[in-house]
Amino acid sequence: MAEKLSDYKYKTHIPIRFSDIDAVGHVNNAIYLTYFEIARFNYWKEAIDWNFSENGIIVGRSEVNYLKPITLHDQIACYVRVVRIGNSSFDVMHVLVKITPHGEEICTTGKTVCICYDYSANKSVKIPTNERKRMIEYDEPRLILNTN
């Protein structure tokens, strides 16, 4: 995936914990999904103002592309944007970058399929109108495949 950081508006810094590091000194592969989760939640809370008390979200699938290792003393951030919106699901792209004196280096990319979910009924539901509208407006209609 050749991601252009200029296509992303939302960026959040991710703290690296000592417990994230594996025996060879870099972030364990499984931790990247946690970093993506932190970034997605911050995006929904800060950029979209998602109403979690009325509309749940579950993860249907995640893909991770490991490009460069991240170590304990690196400073990292994650870019997030919606790339596809369907009826009840939408795809979120993540780009983890290492912040260096020479700029940002892309270390990892990933895509997560998110599904709007009604926990009381135990089933997927249509993406709420307000949240759909805010995701499209925030991430720009030209950059989102709208399959609805």
Side-chain angles (χ1 to χ4, degrees):
M1 290 181 209
E3 290 299 310
K4 291 188 333 189
L5 295 180
S6 61
D7 285 344
Y8 290 76
K9 286 184 185 176
Y10 187 80
K11 173 183 166 183
T12 189
H13 291 272
I14 305 289
I16 299 173
R17 304 165 301 183
F18 181 75
S19 62
D20 296 346
I21 305 304
D22 63 17
V24 293
H26 56 293
V27 171
N28 182 284
N29 288 359
I31 299 299
Y32 288 82
L33 293 173
T34 301
Y35 292 168
F36 291 168
E37 179 183 49
I38 292 167
R40 270 195 319 276
F41 183 73
N42 289 348
Y43 165 84
W44 289 328
K45 188 171 60 171
E46 296 169 9
I48 306 306
D49 193 28
W50 194 280
N51 185 347
F52 285 101
S53 63
E54 293 183 18
N55 307 296
I57 301 172
I58 61 173
V59 171
R61 183 179 70 234
S62 292
E63 302 171 11
V64 182
N65 301 299
Y66 304 99
L67 306 171
K68 295 180 181 180
I70 296 172
T71 61
L72 179 62
H73 299 293
D74 289 332
Q75 298 296 312
I76 62 171
C78 190
Y79 288 88
V80 176
R81 74 182 180 94
V82 171
V83 294
R84 182 197 62 86
I85 297 181
N87 185 41
S88 62
S89 68
F90 54 98
D91 298 350
V92 178
M93 280 298 300
H94 314 81
V95 179
L96 269 174
V97 297
K98 186 184 308 185
I99 301 164
T100 74
H102 308 291
E104 296 178 333
E105 295 177 15
I106 295 175
C107 295
T108 310
T109 62
K111 181 169 77 172
T112 303
V113 177
C114 298
I115 302 164
C116 288
Y117 198 76
D118 181 336
Y119 287 99
S120 61
N122 286 325
K123 67 176 189 171
S124 62
V125 294
K126 186 176 180 180
I127 299 169
T129 302
N130 288 336
E131 282 80 350
R132 171 189 292 279
K133 181 179 181 226
R134 286 193 292 264
M135 286 188 292
I136 291 171
E137 287 173 354
Y138 187 84
D139 286 319
E140 300 183 43
R142 69 177 182 84
L143 296 174
I144 297 175
L145 173 62
N146 192 340
T147 59
N148 184 22

